[in-house]
Amino acid sequence: MNLRLPSKVLEHIISFIDSNEDRNSVSLVCKSWFETERKTRKRVFVGNCYAITPAAVARRFPEMRSLTLKGKPHFADYNLVPDGWGGYAWPWIEAMAKKSPSLEEIRLKRMVVTDECLELIAASFKDFKVLVLTSCEGFSTDGIAAIAATCRNLRVLELRECIVEDLGGDWLSYFPETSTSLVSLDFSCLDSEVKLSDLERLVSRSPDLKSLKLNPAVTVDGLESLLRRAPQLTELGTGSFSAELKPEAFSKLSEAFTNCKQLKCLSGLWDVLPEYLPALYSVCPGLTSLNLSYATVRMPDLVELLRRCSKLQKLWVMDLIEDKGLETVASCCKELRELRVFPSVPDLDATNVALTEQGLVFVSQGCPKLESVLYFCVQFTNAALITIARNRPNIKCFRLCVIEPFAPDYKTNEPLDKGFKAIAERCKYLQRLSVSGLLTDKAFKYIAKHAKKVRMLSVAFAGDSDLMLHHLLSGCESLKKLEIRDCPFGDTALLENASKLETMRSLWLSSCFVSFGACKLLSQKMPRLNVEVIDEHPPETRPESSPVERIYIYRTVAGPRLDMPEFVWTIHKNPEIGVSHLAIK
Amino acid sequence: MITELEMGKGESELELGLGLSLGGGTPAKIGKSGGGGAWGERGRLLTAKDFPSVGSKRAADSGSHAGASPPRSSQVVGWPPIGSHRMNSLVNNQATRSAREEEEAGKKKVKDDESKDVTKKVNGKVQVGFIKVNMDGVAIGRKVDLNAHSYYENLAQTLEDMFFRTNPGTIGLTGQFTKPLRLLDGSSEFVLTYEDKEGDWMLVGDVPWRMFITSVKRLRVMKTSEANGLAVRHQERNERHRNQPV
């Protein structure tokens, strides 16, 4: 019997599917489902901007309204990817300007975005609504001004931790008086002061404004004035609170906060003086997300604040909270789902020792919904990891950074193998894992076997031999992104598990012992992978067996990229020609 | 008499042509770049990283962890894994804290006046503008905007562009015909140094970036042969600093 749904019906059904993972599955069923799905996909996500060409994306998804792109590898966040590596937004913007003029939303992460890109966006997409740039660089406030000035229906403009050439605060004044559509504005990463009166007017004429994240140049007085004009805010990033506290200003500020009855998320708070914190008490009971990771206040003041936050789901804080503070969190914040604890000083020698593994154990005991952890700590124990795993098998994201490289369990002097084994075994929904401390190859055997749902794994200063990589690449069924630095394996495991790499988005290896010869061989064996050697020294000046500095391997249907800088080497697909910057013309 | 030229960030066009000349084909247009160009092949100025430092960068070099001294996290690139925004903020906090401590202790540096035209405090944070750069053997000094840079590689690239490279086919400031200057493998002729607020000359690159820009007064591209004494002093000073409470 030939059962075929009329395409209109199929289209209608598929239009209810939001998840791109599901849509990808749908598109594999048969040709007609592929066609119907692609014609109805509105939100397109490309996890690696070099995996496919912009033209191919535009061609496949004619109804695209939202495009999300990621560029540089994650370790670029830690300065491991040299400037100029790539991740340019321009080819994408240029292609979409021509082929997808109905595009309304662009979200870019770790990409190089120039003022020309921003100007082209402003000029090309008539109904442009959303621009979110995360960890991007290459543009100036002039480009932002172009977006502000031209995009009449702009709803969202967010610059999250970007490196921006700051030419002053004028860009804000480019929002025309007729612009009233703003829902979210985040300029927290900019340095320059914007004119407060311009900002006040913009906020006053934006009734839909729900999220406002200010930069440190906005003062307490400025904040108070803005809150008065936007009591409907649900998300607020404050300016800085480091000015001297004046009693009048304080009571005005408290009152302004009291009137923000819908505030759910609070961030910013750079250098906040503890005297200001009581002004926030009125919003604490309603907060679901609190980012104190730039607030240099000490434990007692933090505790006073946090014990009022009974609905808190997400907490980012510095290690100044200490074990004691986390104990309070464990008893007061029963809704907590995500905890991130960052170091308060950049180097090991002066780290806050009042934060230990015990803090995390407390939270794992007291917060039944805890599922996402990022924890920086000087040292750790297997016992703590095992306890955490037993308490919280529902953990989905576990990133532990033991700051001292190769640090063993400080009580038993053993490697942390057993601890991470417990995490991998018990947390069956674990999707993201970062390991640290002293780890042998065994740890990776356990992880490979048990962490069936882990999609992203980060490893540093760990393992003994090729076995560790072999375990990971032959196990870890769901692995999509693997990033490794400073581990002592060589070529064997990589070459033996080459086929695994096509099932992953990307693999980053730096300061390991993989040789140039292996990269060449891998590249020759696997035509659908780009094997990029990122090395200061031209590979041909050294023997093929010598290790290379960094390797970035990713699957792609776009072939080798054409925009590589001089320090990126890909192996020419034709072995007789040898090494060149371009694999194929 | 030394005349100083005000110099901005330097060339901001990324010269893709150089990298892709082998294969031919049109490189994708990328417009203006943020300032960083390709390092490596073009040569680079030596910074403190290139000198043997206390504690090896990779304990695994010796083949096993047992015998080797593990790297101190403060000397390893990108470790601990904290995003650069956050790292800048941490270093800034440290600098502001120590500045506050010094003020409270009643210490007034003699060189405060000199540094005023270089730094200005905004919201308690110290911001750096243009600082002077001189190079051994070059009569004309330049100025570079530290605000426009966020990493050492950025800065080194700008300075190379300034002193070693101008438009193709012209004579650069050094009087040499422009061609990529190979400064690799530790055999570089020049090294980048800076004078800090205390008047000491240090190798560029040994402290976190934000700490560097709050203490730098001026830069000097020095002949490597003259810089050897600096490496030793840097280590001594490092030892001193490590013993001081933060």
Side-chain angles (χ1 to χ4, degrees):
Chain A
M1 190 162 103
N2 192 0
L3 216 87
R4 194 175 281 175
L5 289 169
S7 59
K8 280 289 169 204
V9 176
L10 190 59
E11 218 178 280
H12 184 69
I13 296 172
I14 291 179
S15 67
F16 287 102
I17 302 177
D18 283 329
S19 141
N20 274 354
E21 229 174 294
D22 290 340
R23 276 179 168 271
N24 289 344
S25 305
V26 162
S27 65
L28 291 174
V29 168
C30 66
K31 195 114 208 275
S32 82
W33 282 43
F34 176 88
E35 284 299 308
T36 310
E37 190 285 313
R38 77 173 187 87
K39 285 178 188 159
T40 57
R41 191 181 302 205
K42 295 217 164 58
R43 319 186 70 87
V44 176
F45 171 81
V46 179
N48 174 5
C49 65
Y50 290 118
I52 187 167
T53 62
V57 173
R59 227 178 7 247
R60 181 170 168 189
F61 301 112
E63 294 302 310
M64 175 170 54
R65 294 287 176 271
S66 155
L67 176 63
T68 303
L69 289 174
K70 292 189 180 183
K72 300 184 202 174
H74 171 239
F75 273 179
D77 287 355
Y78 315 128
N79 292 350
L80 291 178
V81 178
D83 267 355
W85 170 83
Y88 303 108
W90 176 263
W92 287 87
I93 307 298
E94 190 186 37
M96 297 316 161
K98 285 192 202 120
K99 298 172 192 177
S100 300
S102 306
L103 198 58
E104 297 175 359
E105 306 183 3
I106 294 176
R107 293 174 173 81
L108 305 176
K109 188 167 184 178
R110 288 191 207 100
M111 296 195 74
V112 177
V113 181
T114 59
D115 285 346
E116 277 89 337
C117 287
L118 296 173
E119 285 155 15
L120 188 59
I121 291 173
S124 314
F125 306 112
K126 294 302 162 205
D127 203 17
F128 196 69
K129 295 195 170 77
V130 172
L131 181 66
V132 178
L133 302 178
T134 306
S135 303
C136 293
E137 49 160 354
F139 59 100
S140 77
T141 42
D142 282 352
I144 302 303
I147 298 280
T150 321
C151 303
R152 308 222 157 271
N153 293 322
L154 192 67
R155 292 204 190 137
V156 173
L157 176 60
E158 292 177 9
L159 308 175
R160 302 179 185 172
E161 305 207 331
C162 294
I163 298 177
V164 185
E165 193 189 338
D166 198 326
L167 303 170
D170 289 337
W171 62 272
L172 187 76
S173 58
Y174 280 81
F175 278 105
E177 293 297 318
T178 49
S179 138
T180 57
S181 50
L182 216 51
V183 173
S184 169
L185 178 64
D186 180 349
F187 61 99
S188 51
C189 65
L190 299 180
D191 283 326
S192 291
E193 200 176 327
V194 298
K195 222 163 123 187
L196 184 63
S197 52
D198 284 342
L199 189 51
E200 284 168 343
R201 275 202 310 275
L202 177 62
V203 166
S204 294
R205 66 175 186 272
S206 303
D208 295 328
L209 191 68
K210 288 276 182 275
S211 172
L212 180 62
K213 298 193 180 164
L214 309 167
N215 70 352
V218 177
T219 63
V220 172
D221 291 328
L223 174 63
E224 187 267 323
S225 156
L226 294 166
L227 286 179
R228 263 191 294 115
R229 287 154 213 272
Q232 78 281 7
L233 285 179
T234 58
E235 294 184 3
L236 172 68
T238 68
S240 65
F241 275 76
S242 50
E244 227 181 271
L245 182 63
K246 294 169 235 169
E248 229 177 76
F250 178 83
S251 54
K252 276 172 91 179
L253 185 67
S254 295
E255 199 184 320
F257 270 111
T258 309
N259 287 328
C260 292
K261 300 197 188 299
Q262 300 181 46
L263 204 58
K264 296 257 172 297
C265 305
L266 187 58
S267 60
L269 299 166
W270 289 282
D271 306 326
V272 61
L273 298 173
E275 297 82 57
Y276 279 109
L277 292 180
L280 306 173
Y281 288 171
S282 59
V283 295
C284 287
L287 285 183
T288 56
S289 166
L290 182 53
N291 183 351
L292 292 165
S293 63
Y294 290 100
T296 48
V297 287
R298 304 255 148 212
M299 185 269 294
D301 300 303
L302 286 172
V303 162
E304 257 319 291
L305 191 68
L306 288 168
R307 67 177 186 79
R308 294 170 151 90
C309 301
S310 54
K311 293 219 186 91
L312 206 59
Q313 296 179 17
K314 178 166 133 177
L315 174 62
W316 291 20
V317 72
M318 286 206 266
D319 59 13
L320 301 166
I321 193 170
E322 301 176 6
D323 288 346
K324 198 140 193 287
L326 288 176
E327 200 177 1
T328 307
V329 170
S331 61
C332 298
C333 308
K334 293 300 185 188
E335 295 296 313
L336 198 69
R337 279 129 167 93
E338 177 179 326
L339 174 69
R340 294 196 191 188
V341 180
F342 297 95
S344 53
V345 282
D347 77 276
L348 180 60
D349 298 329
T351 309
N352 188 339
V353 292
L355 180 95
T356 71
E357 76 281 4
Q358 189 53 44
L360 187 55
V361 170
F362 284 142
V363 178
S364 74
Q365 273 159 356
C367 303
K369 298 188 183 171
L370 185 72
E371 57 181 29
S372 176
V373 173
L374 170 62
Y375 202 77
F376 282 82
C377 193
V378 181
Q379 46 195 13
F380 229 79
T381 63
N382 282 311
L385 282 169
I386 293 169
T387 306
I388 291 163
R390 283 212 182 108
N391 288 338
R392 290 279 66 79
N394 47 324
I395 287 184
K396 287 194 183 140
C397 169
F398 190 78
R399 297 161 71 190
L400 176 66
C401 180
V402 177
I403 302 179
E404 166 95 57
F406 308 117
D409 176 326
Y410 71 92
K411 288 190 177 151
T412 66
N413 239 16
E414 291 175 340
L416 291 178
D417 295 354
K418 285 192 206 140
F420 279 108
K421 175 179 184 224
I423 296 281
E425 260 180 340
R426 289 182 178 261
C427 304
K428 301 204 188 299
Y429 306 106
L430 197 64
Q431 288 181 7
R432 185 166 176 185
L433 178 63
S434 298
V435 299
S436 54
L438 183 66
L439 294 166
T440 71
D441 290 340
K442 267 214 205 103
F444 299 97
K445 184 171 166 196
Y446 302 140
I447 292 169
K449 184 169 169 207
H450 296 288
K452 296 189 195 298
K453 294 231 158 81
V454 163
R455 296 167 56 93
M456 182 169 177
L457 179 62
S458 310
V459 186
F461 304 109
D464 311 306
S465 72
D466 272 70
L467 264 180
M468 71 168 282
L469 185 61
H470 176 70
H471 288 315
L472 292 177
L473 292 181
S474 56
C476 292
E477 293 156 35
S478 308
L479 195 62
K480 292 279 168 268
K481 288 191 284 183
L482 179 58
E483 47 187 21
I484 305 181
R485 63 165 294 176
D486 291 273
C487 292
F489 53 79
D491 300 338
T492 323
L494 187 63
L495 292 174
E496 263 173 34
N497 293 283
S499 51
K500 171 80 168 178
L501 300 176
E502 267 187 13
T503 67
M504 293 165 54
R505 183 188 296 171
S506 65
L507 169 64
W508 170 276
L509 302 171
S510 56
S511 303
C512 303
F513 287 121
V514 179
S515 73
F516 179 64
C519 293
K520 215 164 154 177
L521 196 57
L522 185 66
S523 182
Q524 285 160 359
K525 266 173 82 176
M526 313 289 297
R528 286 186 300 197
L529 294 180
N530 273 0
V531 179
E532 293 188 8
V533 173
I534 302 167
D535 200 310
E536 199 193 346
H537 310 289
E540 71 243 19
T541 62
R542 297 172 305 170
E544 285 212 348
S545 57
S546 66
V548 293
E549 284 172 10
R550 298 154 231 232
I551 307 166
Y552 186 47
I553 302 170
Y554 53 91
R555 67 180 171 191
T556 179
V557 294
R561 56 186 178 110
L562 301 174
D563 60 0
M564 287 177 283
E566 285 175 306
F567 53 84
V568 174
W569 310 82
T570 63
I571 286 67
H572 202 293
K573 300 301 181 189
N574 187 338
E576 296 109 43
I577 293 183
V579 175
S580 96
H581 299 275
L582 275 185
I584 294 170
K585 192 262 176 197
Chain B
M1 176 111 73
I2 296 174
T3 48
E4 279 152 355
L5 302 173
E6 296 261 337
M7 182 69 177
K9 215 170 63 174
E11 313 280 70
S12 48
E13 291 289 325
L14 191 69
E15 289 162 74
L16 277 182
L18 222 82
L20 299 174
S21 55
L22 282 173
T26 354
K29 185 200 174 207
I30 61 139
K32 273 198 244 186
S33 128
W39 50 268
E41 234 323 77
R42 286 169 154 214
R44 64 188 173 88
L45 298 171
L46 291 181
T47 59
K49 277 198 289 195
D50 303 291
F51 290 84
S53 50
V54 177
S56 62
K57 186 177 159 184
R58 296 203 52 223
D61 273 350
S62 62
S64 78
H65 314 308
S69 59
R72 305 297 290 162
S73 70
S74 49
Q75 290 175 327
V76 179
V77 174
W79 191 264
I82 302 173
S84 38
H85 256 260
R86 193 173 292 284
M87 191 63 109
N88 285 345
S89 176
L90 289 184
V91 174
N92 215 45
N93 282 347
Q94 254 191 348
T96 318
R97 249 205 308 275
S98 34
R100 273 199 204 127
E101 280 164 15
E102 281 174 9
E103 278 177 42
E104 278 163 22
K107 268 196 235 172
K108 255 303 188 172
K109 302 260 176 205
V110 174
K111 300 204 168 92
D112 245 9
D113 291 338
E114 221 178 325
S115 65
K116 262 186 195 149
D117 64 326
V118 169
T119 64
K120 55 179 177 17
K121 290 204 200 302
V122 174
N123 293 325
K125 288 188 183 170
V126 178
Q127 297 204 335
V128 189
F130 283 89
I131 61 165
K132 299 178 194 173
V133 192
N134 287 80
M135 176 165 154
D136 285 0
V138 176
I140 299 172
R142 311 299 286 274
K143 269 190 183 174
V144 67
D145 180 7
L146 283 189
N147 263 336
H149 298 85
S150 39
Y151 305 117
Y152 286 122
E153 277 84 47
N154 259 359
L155 179 63
Q157 187 56 54
T158 301
L159 294 177
E160 286 172 48
D161 287 342
M162 248 188 234
F163 287 102
F164 298 110
R165 250 172 301 283
T166 53
N167 295 316
T170 63
I171 312 285
L173 279 176
T174 54
Q176 296 167 355
F177 201 85
T178 49
K179 58 174 195 274
L181 198 72
R182 299 192 79 93
L183 298 165
L184 304 170
D185 300 317
S187 59
S188 300
E189 229 193 309
F190 295 97
V191 77
L192 185 59
T193 65
Y194 70 104
E195 186 186 13
D196 71 0
K197 291 211 165 95
E198 285 161 23
D200 296 331
W201 282 94
M202 317 277 290
L203 282 172
V204 166
D206 55 337
V207 299
W209 172 260
R210 262 318 241 253
M211 215 182 253
F212 161 69
I213 66 170
T214 54
S215 60
V216 64
K217 262 177 48 194
R218 55 192 168 126
L219 293 166
R220 182 171 152 206
V221 180
M222 201 185 275
K223 283 226 155 81
T224 307
S225 47
E226 286 181 37
N228 279 330
L230 282 183
V232 176
R233 190 202 275 177
H234 148 69
Q235 283 176 6
E236 283 176 0
R237 188 168 152 147
N238 232 20
E239 295 299 316
R240 263 191 283 131
H241 275 171
R242 217 171 264 136
N243 294 330
Q244 280 174 11
V246 169

